[in-house]
Amino acid sequence: MILIQGKGVSSGVVKGKLYFYERPDTTVVKTTVDDLEAEKARLAEAQAKSIAQLEALAEKCREEAGDESAILFETHAMFVEDDDYVECIMETLDDEQCNAEYAVEVAGEQFAQMFAAMDDAYMQARAADIKDVTRRILNNLMGIPEGGIDSDEPVILAADDLAPSETIQMDKSKILGFATQGGSGNSHTAILARTMGIPAVCGMGEALKKDYHGRLAYIDGDEGTVVLDPDELTLTALKQKYAEQQERKALLETMKGQEDVTLDGRKVNLYCNIGSPDDVNAVLANDGQGIGLFRSEFLYLATNDYPTEEDQFQAYKTVAAAMGGKRVIIRTLDIGADKQVDYFQLNKEENPALGMRAIRICLNRPEVFRTQLRALYRASAYGKIAIMFPMITSVWEVKECKRACQSVMKELAAEGIPFNPETEIGIMIETPASVFMARDLAKLVDFFSVGTNDLTQYTLACDRQCNDLGKFFDAHHPAVLRALKMAADAAHEAGIWIGICGELGADIELLPTFLAMGIDELSVSPSSVLPLRAEIRKSIAQTCTLELLEG
Ligand code: PEP
Ligand code: MG
């Protein structure tokens, strides 16, 4: 038996083949070829494969979201065979006697530049589509699997670590669980696993060997272990755990449709965190009462170029409409730190968590901010959208954000585009500065939402990505809980509501503390809704105390 100990960051037991994720090298190197006909045959094969993939995607979209959303993939499929594009590739091949990859890359760049230089905003936005199609053909030429996983059956995805930009592009239906050498409980792989409701273990270091690729393994997200060739005793324990887990799930089903209210009548809004419109299915399946955090940056991480206003509008509108009038809080772009997006060309920083990230980028790049705000306000006509700004430290930032909102509303009104002028505006409390300024900030906004992942990191000076800090990274540290209390008091004094959207919100042990503080909303991974509801319904808010705030 091989037992690898790590840190369990998403609960549950699952059995499957370990699939070691290989980071694909996507750089195109120009080579000279002797057999040009063979190169053309490779190209034809990659084109045919791309068209087949795009047609399958269009079909899936048509089934799930109707004809309109399938159009994008149908257009991409047509572009693969576009006469001018193909002619350009062939010309490079013939003139330069080079490999197909190089010829495709040259054509892709030429066409993308041509579209980007056009006057019409719609045509300019098509440059991103061309880059997308080109990347697809290149991937097929280079043998890079679609969705990052080259397996017909779902697997346990193993890796050194996974960047948000990698996980977002993966085919989630192929992932049974995550096992990583690095990472931490607050890393985005962990958050994604909890959203998907699948087990994850991180921080296994070198003990998780690449040689294990393809071997059958059990992953236990509660114990933080990965087991290969279990002995009889371990196997029995794992099987029993799996059975108990299924039983618990069935029991929690009875919580669906029940109110999130304590025995003494205190209502807590139980919302969900999502990263993409697809995650709404998990919210609805777990009976989440709203969306407390839509991490909009994942729309930016999923593409190779800035998502257009239209692309964002469609995504926000889809979520708002699917939630049918329930509150959907969309956080504006929060990139930087661990969420790097190449096309933003951010400077390399010594301490990116303390650098140019989140609202700082938006306030420095008004055009990027304006595009997102326009999409958000346009979508506000189709549901109950609220806008939330991340990483706030100062009053002037909030004032500037609000000015940007006013200016976008004015533009839309002048263009006759519908929007909701009463759209709620909130901020994240995730820096110590925002806690100290909470009284002033509360006067400017409709709600606070505490990002405990970053608030813990910045309050305790503990990197949220670092797994070696051990007892120094104390999620229940009184300093963090006192900060939360200060923010809650400031919110309530100003007559606004306060929620928690960081991972601490789902911490059952802290529920009595949150109730004692009068926290109004908890936004958690969809899989945490029903366990938390069961706990809320057993609690008596009036008897809850703040004893954990004592040092
Ligand atoms: C947080 O910091 O707690 C939060 C919810 O935001 P993110 O994890 O995306 O930084
Ligand atoms: Mg944060």
Side-chain angles (χ1 to χ4, degrees):
M1 176 168 93
I2 301 169
L3 188 142
I4 313 164
Q5 185 67 55
K7 187 173 174 193
V9 291
S10 182
S11 130
V13 174
V14 82
K15 174 181 148 191
K17 270 195 186 149
L18 275 181
Y19 181 99
F20 232 99
Y21 173 69
E22 288 291 341
R23 202 148 282 122
D25 182 0
T26 55
T27 24
V28 172
V29 182
K30 184 182 178 189
T31 55
T32 328
V33 294
D34 296 329
D35 189 349
L36 206 55
E37 285 318 305
E39 214 49 28
K40 287 184 182 171
R42 278 183 67 230
L43 174 67
E45 204 180 307
Q47 284 169 314
K49 195 165 178 186
S50 303
I51 292 171
Q53 287 168 346
L54 288 160
E55 282 173 352
L57 280 170
E59 190 51 41
K60 186 167 172 263
C61 249
R62 198 173 296 112
E63 274 167 23
E64 289 173 7
D67 282 348
E68 219 177 293
S69 18
I71 290 174
L72 175 76
F73 295 117
E74 284 167 355
T75 319
H76 279 200
M78 271 153 56
F79 190 76
V80 175
E81 298 183 292
D82 177 84
D83 286 347
D84 294 335
Y85 180 69
V86 176
E87 196 182 310
C88 181
I89 299 174
M90 291 303 178
E91 256 174 38
T92 312
L93 277 174
D94 289 330
D95 294 352
E96 310 209 19
Q97 296 277 309
C98 62
N99 52 331
E101 284 88 341
Y102 179 74
V104 170
E105 188 176 63
V106 168
E109 273 169 16
Q110 274 185 20
F111 274 72
Q113 273 171 20
M114 188 174 83
F115 275 89
M118 290 183 182
D119 286 338
D120 182 67
Y122 177 82
M123 296 310 272
Q124 281 171 9
R126 303 288 61 84
D129 294 324
I130 287 153
K131 285 184 190 170
D132 236 32
V133 172
T134 303
R135 188 69 256 165
R136 180 177 292 279
I137 305 174
L138 283 174
N139 284 353
N140 284 325
L141 274 168
M142 296 162 124
I144 297 170
E146 198 187 16
I149 302 168
D150 191 11
S151 166
D152 293 334
E153 54 180 331
V155 293
I156 295 174
L157 195 73
D160 47 1
D161 207 350
L162 291 164
S165 56
E166 288 171 332
T167 50
I168 189 72
Q169 310 209 12
M170 279 174 186
D171 178 355
K172 312 289 184 305
S173 66
K174 295 244 179 86
I175 308 176
L176 295 168
F178 289 103
T180 59
Q181 293 176 328
S184 73
N186 274 337
S187 66
H188 284 277
T189 307
I191 293 172
L192 175 68
R194 291 193 285 263
T195 303
M196 291 166 69
I198 59 173
V201 178
C202 70
M204 280 173 281
E206 296 292 309
L208 181 67
K209 295 190 176 69
K210 285 201 175 139
D211 293 354
Y212 298 153
H213 178 82
R215 289 185 57 179
L216 201 62
Y218 289 80
I219 158 168
D220 183 339
D222 302 290
E223 297 300 320
T225 52
V226 171
V227 186
L228 282 81
D229 303 327
D231 58 30
E232 211 149 301
L233 210 66
T234 315
L235 186 61
T236 314
L238 282 164
K239 280 187 176 163
Q240 189 180 337
K241 209 160 180 192
Y242 183 76
E244 281 167 12
Q245 177 184 306
Q246 298 308 105
E247 224 172 90
R248 210 169 39 241
K249 266 194 190 154
L251 212 74
L252 283 172
E253 285 291 304
T254 61
M255 283 292 125
K256 287 191 184 162
Q258 307 273 10
E259 257 204 297
D260 299 308
V261 62
T262 61
L263 286 172
D264 52 340
R266 171 88 67 79
K267 172 107 175 87
V268 180
N269 284 326
L270 212 41
Y271 293 171
C272 291
N273 295 347
I274 63 165
S276 85
D278 290 346
D279 295 339
V280 173
N281 296 330
V283 178
L284 297 173
N286 287 282
D287 200 24
Q289 294 304 298
I291 288 171
L293 170 63
F294 178 178
R295 290 182 163 96
S296 70
E297 58 275 11
F298 281 90
L299 299 177
Y300 294 73
L301 285 159
T303 55
N304 298 320
D305 206 342
Y306 294 95
T308 60
E309 177 184 318
E310 190 59 29
D311 292 342
Q312 292 191 61
F313 163 64
Q314 290 297 345
Y316 305 146
K317 178 181 155 189
T318 305
V319 174
M323 290 306 293
K326 289 182 173 157
R327 192 185 268 136
V328 174
I329 303 177
I330 303 179
R331 171 174 79 184
T332 59
L333 179 67
D334 181 9
I335 59 160
D338 60 319
K339 286 175 269 185
Q340 291 295 326
V341 183
D342 289 347
Y343 57 83
F344 269 78
Q345 297 186 330
L346 298 172
N347 288 335
K348 277 254 164 301
E349 296 170 317
E350 284 282 319
N351 289 304
L354 304 179
M356 195 49 75
R357 63 169 287 201
I359 202 65
R360 299 173 184 177
I361 295 175
C362 288
L363 293 178
N364 267 2
R365 301 192 187 189
E367 264 317 296
V368 172
F369 199 25
R370 179 173 157 266
T371 303
Q372 181 167 37
L373 289 175
R374 278 185 60 98
L376 285 167
Y377 274 103
R378 281 175 59 195
S380 71
Y382 299 86
K384 192 175 177 188
I385 279 184
I387 301 175
M388 175 158 80
F389 302 112
M391 276 292 289
I392 294 295
T393 56
S394 310
V395 164
W396 70 263
E397 292 166 338
V398 180
K399 287 189 174 161
E400 214 167 293
C401 289
K402 287 179 75 177
R403 267 198 297 277
C405 291
Q406 288 298 337
S407 138
V408 159
M409 282 194 277
K410 222 163 129 185
E411 264 176 33
L412 295 178
E415 291 165 32
I417 297 175
F419 64 93
N420 174 12
E422 305 297 325
T423 300
E424 284 180 300
I425 289 179
I427 56 167
M428 292 195 65
I429 298 290
E430 52 182 349
T431 63
S434 65
V435 174
F436 297 133
M437 300 302 293
R439 281 212 168 90
D440 307 79
L441 294 168
K443 291 181 193 140
L444 299 172
V445 294
D446 300 305
F447 65 92
F448 282 168
S449 184
V450 185
T452 50
N453 309 336
D454 277 314
L455 186 61
T456 307
Q457 148 162 282
Y458 296 127
T459 304
L460 301 183
C462 279
D463 183 348
R464 62 188 270 186
Q465 303 293 337
C466 178
N467 207 23
D468 303 327
L469 288 163
K471 63 184 177 203
F472 297 104
F473 194 101
D474 174 9
H476 292 195
H477 197 295
V480 178
L481 299 179
R482 287 183 198 188
L484 253 159
K485 169 82 167 57
M486 281 171 69
D489 289 347
H492 293 144
E493 267 169 41
I496 65 169
W497 62 266
I498 180 166
I500 298 176
C501 62
E503 296 302 299
L504 221 53
D507 191 324
I508 300 251
E509 263 181 68
L510 289 180
L511 179 65
T513 310
F514 298 152
L515 288 172
M517 288 177 189
I519 297 292
D520 304 282
E521 175 244 20
L522 293 171
S523 188
V524 297
S525 305
S527 57
S528 294
V529 167
L530 298 177
L532 210 47
R533 176 171 297 160
E535 211 54 37
I536 290 172
R537 294 177 60 81
K538 278 193 279 186
S539 304
I540 302 173
Q542 271 171 18
T543 58
C544 291
T545 70
L546 291 169
E547 62 186 328
L548 291 183
L549 272 65
E550 303 303 323

